[in-house]
Amino acid sequence: MIETLLDAIGQSAVGTFIAENAVAFPWIEVAHVLSIVVVFGSILLVDLRLMGVAGRDYPPLALSRTILPITWTAFVCAAITGALLFTSNPYGYFENTAFRAKMLLLVLAGLNMLVFHLLTMRGGRVNDGPGPLPVGARVAGLLSVSLWLAVIACGRWIGFTMAPF
Amino acid sequence: MDELLQGVVNWIDTLSVHATIRDAGWVVPAVQSIHIACVALVFTGALIVALRGLELAGGHWSLARWSRYFHGSTMAALWVLLATGLVMIVAEPERELMNWIFRTKMLLVVVTLLITIALGRRLRQRGADRPAGGGVRLVALLVVLLWIGVAMAGRWIAYAG
């Protein structure tokens, strides 16, 4: 089942083009890295506020509202470019440990964000004013920074543990 | 220029630290990860300042306040970028120093840094309530585009030379 899917992806017009074109992979990778950079940098702003490390006079919900659209836009770009890179060598990526670890970390980062939004923010436990936030918010911020740093490291390790195509 | 840099490459090749970094497979990806995380700090600072200048984000703080907020982290990240960049050069001197994209990147970095520092100084001296003029917005946007150019060149070092 999975082999059929990987074969279909690898033999698709997009996959073949990215694997065979001399400049497609590097340009898509440039866009992918830039997108990840914006995802990490923008989410770090929110995480530092949650942890109470920086920007403590910026209302946390207002900060989330102004920064997270940037994060989500960059995340969508990262997901699209990442999927395109995957099509160039689906078997190679699928069997790569760093790639699998990156995907797992992304799921964990998403779950951390979901739990934080559902339990802490929607539960009304975050006061939208200046000053420190509850322990749950600080833990969510720390987890988020750690997970995204690990995502970047795994992304880099992919490049060192397999040929792109 | 090529002869001079080839001499530097040859000298680095004789250093024991070069062999140590090259032989330890984890050093370069680890250092590159730190490098990318620091690029994120610098680039996000430039991006948010530009978006605030265009009144598209961060409206609770003035442009001057955002500029002060990012000043420390940007400066710290730039020093770490220099350090991690030097480690990458020591690890693979030929790949970096003899590569025209690397040289272009360094030139872009210098130009971008000068503009970033000048813009930061000007923004931090502004009154909190003063809206950004057209010139400031344009330069803030230019800084973002220049950092994108630097990041592009950085990734292309791996593919061309």
Side-chain angles (χ1 to χ4, degrees):
Chain A
M1 171 70 181
I2 192 76
E3 287 180 359
T4 314
L5 183 65
L6 293 175
D7 275 337
I9 293 169
Q11 287 162 14
S12 66
V14 175
T16 311
F17 172 75
I18 295 170
E20 290 177 359
N21 188 284
V23 295
F25 189 94
W27 275 118
I28 296 167
E29 197 190 19
V30 164
H32 187 66
V33 172
L34 271 171
S35 304
I36 292 280
V37 155
V38 177
V39 169
F40 176 69
S42 59
I43 213 159
L44 183 65
L45 283 179
V46 178
D47 291 338
L48 291 176
R49 175 65 188 94
L50 293 179
M51 287 189 282
V53 173
R56 275 180 288 190
D57 56 332
Y58 206 113
L61 297 181
L63 186 67
S64 296
R65 273 195 297 271
T66 197
I67 297 298
L68 290 184
I70 299 168
T71 312
W72 278 111
T73 306
F75 182 80
V76 169
C77 292
I80 292 169
T81 49
L84 288 173
L85 294 176
F86 182 85
T87 64
S88 70
N89 185 359
Y91 273 107
Y93 284 107
F94 186 73
E95 287 167 6
N96 184 280
T97 308
F99 175 79
R100 290 184 175 193
K102 184 180 173 182
M103 292 303 107
L104 179 66
L105 288 163
L106 282 172
V107 171
L108 290 176
L111 282 176
N112 177 54
M113 199 185 234
L114 192 69
V115 168
F116 171 67
H117 273 274
L118 292 179
L119 295 184
T120 311
M121 284 187 101
R122 285 199 183 168
R125 286 180 222 172
V126 171
N127 173 26
D128 197 23
L133 296 171
V135 175
R138 280 180 268 166
V139 170
L142 183 63
L143 272 175
S144 173
V145 172
S146 311
L147 288 166
W148 281 106
L149 276 173
V151 166
I152 290 175
C154 284
R156 234 13 348 251
W157 247 273
I158 294 169
F160 282 84
T161 49
M162 65 174 279
F165 40 80
Chain B
M1 183 76 165
D2 273 357
E3 269 182 41
L4 176 75
L5 288 173
Q6 189 58 58
V8 176
V9 169
N10 295 341
W11 173 68
I12 293 173
D13 280 339
T14 64
L15 300 175
S16 61
V17 66
H18 161 70
T20 307
I21 293 173
R22 189 196 53 204
D23 296 342
W26 59 272
V27 176
V28 173
V31 166
Q32 284 189 0
S33 301
I34 298 168
H35 201 78
I36 291 174
C38 289
V39 169
L41 290 180
V42 174
F43 184 71
T44 304
L47 181 67
I48 300 295
V49 165
L51 290 175
R52 178 63 187 89
L54 296 168
E55 296 177 6
L56 293 173
H60 273 73
W61 279 353
S62 67
L63 201 50
R65 179 73 181 83
W66 274 116
S67 184
R68 276 197 298 276
Y69 177 81
F70 286 118
H71 179 65
S73 59
T74 299
M75 287 301 135
L78 285 170
W79 283 110
V80 179
L81 283 169
L82 177 65
T84 49
L86 285 173
V87 173
M88 284 187 257
I89 291 173
V90 170
E92 296 170 294
E94 179 102 31
R95 176 194 189 241
E96 309 279 348
L97 297 178
M98 304 312 290
N99 188 321
W100 68 270
I101 293 185
F102 172 80
R103 296 177 193 176
T104 308
K105 179 187 170 181
M106 289 303 103
L107 188 66
L108 261 179
V109 165
V110 172
V111 171
T112 311
L113 271 181
L114 291 175
I115 299 174
T116 301
I117 290 167
L119 177 70
R121 274 192 189 153
R122 181 147 179 206
L123 289 178
R124 288 192 299 281
Q125 286 165 356
R126 295 166 67 88
D129 300 329
R130 219 175 127 199
V136 167
R137 291 180 194 196
L138 200 65
V139 174
L141 208 57
L142 176 70
V143 167
V144 172
L145 294 176
L146 283 169
W147 282 124
I148 289 175
V150 170
M152 278 180 177
R155 208 66 293 275
W156 267 96
I157 290 170
Y159 295 100

